[in-house]
Amino acid sequence: MHSLRSLRRIISIFSHINPTFRTVMTSSNECSAGIIVIGDEILKGQTADTNSHFICKHLFSWGVKVKRISVVGDDLQTIAKEISDFSQKFTHVITTGGIGPTHDDVTFEGVAQAFGDKLSPNPDIVKLCKEYFGAEDMSSPKMKLAMVPSTARLVYGVTKKTGEKNKFPLVVIRNVCVFPGVPSILERSFVTLEDLFKNPAGKCYMEEIYVEKDEVSIAAVLTEFDDKHRREVTLGSYPDFTNSFYKVKLTLESNKADFLSQAKRSLIDKLPEGSVVNFDKDPVANAADRVFSVLQSQTIDKPFRDKLQHSINIIEQSLEKYGLDETCIGFNGGKDCTAILHLFHAVIKRKYPDYADKLKALYIRSKLPFPEVEQFIQVSRDRYNLDMLNFNGRIRDCLGDLRAQQPNIKAVVMGTRNTDPYSSHLEGFSMTDTDWPQFMRVNPMLGWTYSDVWFFLRSLYIPYCSLYDRGYTSLGSMNNTHPNPVLQFIDDRGVVCYKPAYLLQEGCKERDGRNT
């Protein structure tokens, strides 16, 4: 009873701020939002819009349904009309962009025009402009930020963990919230304003199912499920033609958590047996827990668990002897390097959970690198927070350059296996040859087989270079590397295709796609 009174009081308060709020909330208990992205640079493709994605993700978690996203240019009349229309349709209207000091920043003016208001200097923002931007008087371009609709109110977000109030306020006019367009500024501000946007009627819950079947093959099951549950559950189906681990992502949304769990189980039971993938959306963040759980798993063969434990022991010994400041990891985008990078990252996160600095990674670029490899390396750099040390040329010369530029580095962790060329004699710790620049080569994976590498990558859902899904089993340069002929087959159309690398059964034929 008390919660109902509280809800009605909240609705009453908000209805004075936004006349449409009462209608939206009482008709369906739904809290909605419309996002207006403002800027010619977005429409011209000069700047990518990341703000709407960020906003949608957070609003969903707060129980707010985004109904529409609009992108408009820096045109006053267009902005005013869009704001007026959105304000009447949605509980919250969120604008991004167009509030800077230049002539084309007309968002505040557009909001004022939408509501028949006028611009006037807000005393609090005037003070902030003087304090932080050095604006001396109202003639300064920087003071344009302080010219807001006269009916505007200021909302100061609060950081949940510290309780600290934001220095800069959000400008709100009726149900329109005006955010800056700079992503870093918007993101810092937006996450502190949960209480402003959160749906008082409750959050929306979502479950995801990842399926290793194409969308057509499961369409009948999805249609049957939707016909039966559409009043309580919203079902979405999203094919992914590039993911290495699944083909379709299914989403189930509902404001009833218990019912949603039951519905998910029901749908899984109806999908083809063995088609549901226990996909890990963030294997890097979960690396320590997932990798070390393999050691305890009785469903995984003991020989591999023993190899994994030995590899972890080698890495831990290396860290004890050299430390992270004297260590870098070799990474060229190949499958072995990807496996050792993930394992190295997992050990560091377990050993130093608060470590946040970049890990040094050595990349010696081949003469003709595949674009897919270069792209994967760049993505991996950001994914694992790497400080890439890039060199071109012969390995010996590059190691000499590494010694000259990074004299503190003494050890290089490598993904070498003893079946690699010229590697059968190596041990877990092996110095480079005497006539080479002197580094300790740390080799945690010497005893791993080809199938071990793929089991590790696939079972932990670790992203790897897309070339491996196209039949390449060992990567070198573009002039000496081809899809492995062992994996070749002719499809139903008579077209020559290649199975993915992880389906190669004979590890001894790993390099059959290499000229050298």
Side-chain angles (χ1 to χ4, degrees):
M1 187 68 178
H2 291 292
S3 61
L4 182 58
R5 287 200 196 101
S6 299
L7 176 58
R8 286 173 177 165
R9 177 167 176 76
I10 292 170
I11 293 173
S12 176
I13 292 171
F14 270 88
S15 67
H16 291 294
I17 300 171
N18 173 16
T20 66
F21 186 83
R22 180 188 302 275
T23 301
V24 174
M25 292 300 295
T26 56
S27 63
S28 63
N29 277 341
E30 180 179 87
C31 194
S32 62
I35 301 172
I36 304 174
V37 181
I38 300 170
D40 288 343
E41 69 278 12
I42 304 294
L43 293 173
K44 294 175 181 177
Q46 296 168 345
T47 301
D49 167 42
T50 60
N51 289 333
S52 60
H53 174 263
F54 181 88
I55 293 169
C56 287
K57 182 172 63 175
H58 282 79
L59 287 181
F60 180 85
S61 69
W62 298 338
V64 182
K65 289 193 174 182
V66 175
K67 293 291 190 178
R68 188 178 303 172
I69 299 174
S70 174
V71 182
V72 300
D74 299 311
D75 178 74
L76 179 60
Q77 302 303 322
T78 304
I79 294 171
K81 183 179 185 305
E82 202 76 345
I83 289 172
S84 178
D85 290 345
F86 273 46
S87 179
Q88 297 174 52
K89 295 176 181 177
F90 309 120
T91 313
H92 303 289
V93 180
I94 297 170
T95 73
T96 74
I99 58 172
T102 59
H103 68 284
D104 54 352
D105 293 314
V106 293
T107 298
F108 282 138
E109 190 174 351
V111 178
Q113 182 170 310
F115 297 126
D117 202 347
K118 61 181 180 179
L119 299 184
S120 63
N122 182 284
D124 291 345
I125 305 181
V126 167
K127 182 178 179 181
L128 286 170
C129 288
K130 289 181 178 180
E131 182 178 352
Y132 289 97
F133 304 132
E136 298 179 356
D137 53 51
M138 294 307 299
S139 64
S140 170
K142 296 175 182 177
M143 275 298 181
K144 187 176 181 180
L145 297 169
M147 296 297 294
V148 302
S150 63
T151 58
R153 59 190 178 96
L154 306 184
V155 178
Y156 289 85
V158 177
T159 302
K160 293 288 186 181
K161 290 184 178 180
T162 64
E164 183 180 359
K165 187 175 76 170
N166 285 354
K167 293 183 175 66
F168 298 95
L170 172 70
V171 177
V172 181
I173 307 92
R174 299 194 189 184
N175 64 332
V176 180
C177 303
V178 183
F179 282 90
V182 179
S184 59
I185 300 175
L186 178 142
E187 291 171 11
R188 285 199 302 270
S189 174
F190 197 83
V191 296
T192 67
L193 292 159
E194 177 179 351
D195 291 341
L196 175 64
F197 297 108
K198 191 172 183 179
N199 184 358
K203 67 180 292 185
C204 184
Y205 300 90
M206 185 175 76
E207 293 279 1
E208 296 175 336
I209 302 173
Y210 297 90
V211 186
E212 202 174 15
K213 294 284 185 181
D214 63 78
E215 199 173 31
V216 172
S217 67
I218 61 174
V221 173
L222 302 184
T223 299
E224 179 184 352
F225 178 90
D226 185 60
D227 289 342
K228 183 177 180 180
H229 298 291
R230 69 176 56 173
R231 292 179 62 86
E232 298 88 5
V233 179
T234 301
L235 173 64
S237 177
Y238 307 98
D240 191 322
F241 301 104
T242 61
N243 194 282
S244 300
F245 301 100
Y246 69 87
K247 294 182 179 179
V248 180
K249 180 176 77 171
L250 304 177
T251 61
L252 296 85
E253 301 171 19
S254 176
N255 57 5
K256 302 175 182 177
D258 293 341
F259 184 86
L260 186 62
S261 297
Q262 296 173 14
K264 179 182 179 181
R265 288 194 295 270
S266 173
L267 179 54
I268 289 176
D269 290 341
K270 288 177 169 37
L271 290 168
E273 184 176 357
S275 66
V276 175
V277 177
N278 187 26
F279 182 66
D280 187 348
K281 291 194 299 183
D282 197 349
V284 175
N286 301 326
D289 291 339
R290 293 293 298 270
V291 167
F292 282 85
S293 69
V294 171
L295 299 176
Q296 310 301 323
S297 176
Q298 298 303 310
T299 62
I300 296 175
D301 291 341
K302 188 175 185 300
F304 178 76
R305 285 186 281 134
D306 290 343
K307 291 178 185 179
L308 180 61
Q309 183 64 72
H310 178 72
S311 299
I312 291 173
N313 292 343
I314 294 290
I315 293 173
E316 289 178 337
Q317 291 172 30
S318 177
L319 292 173
E320 289 294 331
K321 184 173 182 180
Y322 298 103
L324 286 171
D325 58 331
E326 296 180 339
T327 303
C328 74
I329 183 163
F331 182 62
N332 64 5
K335 62 185 183 303
D336 301 329
C337 290
T338 301
I340 193 60
L341 172 61
H342 192 81
L343 182 56
F344 187 61
H345 171 81
V347 173
I348 290 171
K349 286 302 180 184
R350 174 60 65 93
K351 190 175 181 64
Y352 312 111
D354 297 326
Y355 186 81
D357 292 343
K358 291 181 180 292
L359 301 175
K360 293 183 178 64
L362 171 64
Y363 173 36
I364 298 178
R365 184 179 286 106
S366 65
K367 289 183 178 180
L368 292 171
F370 284 92
E372 293 88 345
V373 172
E374 295 275 274
Q375 180 183 17
F376 178 69
I377 289 173
Q378 295 303 310
V379 172
S380 299
R381 177 199 64 188
D382 299 333
R383 184 179 285 139
Y384 289 94
N385 194 28
L386 303 179
D387 177 13
M388 297 300 302
L389 310 176
N390 300 317
F391 297 93
N392 299 297
R394 298 184 352 176
I395 296 178
R396 181 188 298 188
D397 296 337
C398 290
L399 290 179
D401 293 337
L402 175 65
R403 169 64 67 213
Q405 295 180 24
Q406 301 282 338
N408 58 306
I409 292 179
K410 298 178 181 179
V412 181
V413 180
M414 305 177 70
T416 306
R417 292 182 284 123
N418 54 26
T419 54
D420 293 337
Y422 315 112
S423 300
S424 59
H425 67 288
L426 295 177
E427 298 179 348
F429 292 88
S430 294
M431 287 294 295
T432 49
D433 294 343
T434 55
D435 57 341
W436 280 53
Q438 292 296 282
F439 289 97
M440 177 60 74
R441 290 176 290 180
V442 183
N443 305 302
M445 293 174 53
L446 285 177
W448 288 37
T449 65
Y450 178 86
S451 61
D452 288 336
V453 173
W454 280 114
F455 175 79
F456 182 75
L457 294 175
R458 297 284 301 175
S459 62
L460 295 181
Y461 302 101
I462 301 168
Y464 53 81
C465 180
S466 62
L467 289 174
Y468 290 112
D469 286 334
R470 289 155 49 188
Y472 291 83
T473 54
S474 178
L475 299 181
S477 297
M478 291 181 66
N479 62 329
N480 65 15
T481 309
H482 313 280
N484 195 318
V486 178
L487 295 173
Q488 181 177 309
F489 70 98
I490 308 297
D491 70 3
D492 296 337
R493 302 164 299 170
V495 177
V496 176
C497 300
Y498 293 86
K499 299 175 184 178
Y502 60 85
L503 293 180
L504 180 68
Q505 298 297 316
E506 306 94 339
C508 60
K509 296 184 177 182
E510 172 184 355
R511 296 179 65 87
D512 279 16
R514 297 282 290 270
N515 294 346
T516 56

